[in-house]
């Protein structure tokens, strides 16, 4: 084995990279929840064969009079788990990543306008580093729906036009009659 090959495969520390997210979501964290989140679907991978451990990730959302950090990271690993200690190698891991606000920021509102979304990763023994940036736009209708907690906005990557297309996803309102019927079936008394 040559010295260069040894250095590239055994010694060199890699950087974490990510693919363009196929989905970006702004909205409530669950039905009718006041707590807001950003969700992305992406592949994280290492630039070296050695691989790296991610100890944390966060998203910075920058807009008009806004610089908000979504610093609670949860990812899908056969169920949602709090992010920490995720090993990324050259082949990478494709996963859903949820970024939430701390409870102290529960008054946050998405407003109409242009946003810069920045994804940061913190590898063990290194400072957080920006690995992705994307410009997005929320319309007035979209921001109103998010802030009523009745909908979220999806930004879907459309490869044939090389752009994100956004749409509102409204959650169906829960039918109280169905709830009463389910309670009847389970012998619970419906609330009045």
């Amino acid at each position: 084995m040559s010295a260069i090959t040894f250095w590239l495969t055994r010694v060199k520390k890699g950087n974490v990279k990510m693919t363009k997210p196929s989905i970006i979501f702004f909205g409530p964290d669950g039905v009718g929840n006041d707590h807001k989140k950003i969700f992305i679907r992406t592949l994280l991978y290492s630039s070296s064969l050695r691989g790296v451990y991610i100890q944390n990730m966060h998203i910075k959302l920058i807009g008009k009079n806004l610089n908000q950090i979504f610093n609670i990271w949860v990812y899908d690993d056969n169920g949602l788990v709090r992010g920490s200690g995720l090993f990324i190698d050259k082949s990478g891991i494709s996963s859903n990543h949820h970024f939430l606000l701390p409870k102290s920021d529960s008054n946050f509102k998405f407003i109409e306008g242009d946003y810069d979304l920045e994804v940061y990763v913190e590898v063990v023994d290194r400072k957080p580093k920006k690995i992705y940036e994307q410009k997005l736009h929320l319309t007035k209708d979209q921001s109103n729906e998010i802030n009523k907690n009745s909908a979220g906005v999806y930004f879907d990557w459309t490869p044939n036009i090389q752009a994100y297309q956004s749409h509102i996803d409204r959650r169906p309102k829960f039918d109280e009659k169905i709830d009463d019927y389910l309670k009847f079936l389970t012998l619970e008394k419906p609330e009045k």
Side-chain angles (χ1 to χ4, degrees), residues 46-109:
S46 172
S47 62
S48 75
L49 291 174
R50 185 173 171 191
V52 293
Y53 285 95
I54 297 175
Q55 68 183 15
N56 215 333
M57 290 181 70
H58 69 273
I59 284 182
K60 184 187 288 188
L61 192 63
I62 302 166
K64 183 179 179 184
N65 301 320
L66 172 74
N67 189 345
Q68 183 66 53
I69 306 279
F70 288 74
N71 62 356
I72 298 173
W73 169 46
V74 178
Y75 68 95
D76 189 4
D77 182 25
N78 295 322
L80 294 177
V81 295
R82 186 75 183 256
S84 184
L86 180 63
F87 180 73
I88 303 293
D89 62 13
K90 187 99 173 142
S91 61
I93 295 176
S94 184
S95 187
N96 300 325
H97 299 271
H98 303 254
F99 298 91
L100 302 124
L101 293 168
K103 294 284 185 198
S104 61
D105 289 343
S106 61
N107 294 328
F108 174 79
K109 301 283 186 207

Side-chain angles (χ1 to χ4, degrees), residues 113-128:
D114 295 320
Y115 288 95
D116 285 328
L117 178 137
E118 299 177 350
V119 179
Y120 289 81
V121 65
E122 182 182 351
V123 173
V124 173
D125 295 329
R126 297 192 206 164
K127 294 184 187 245

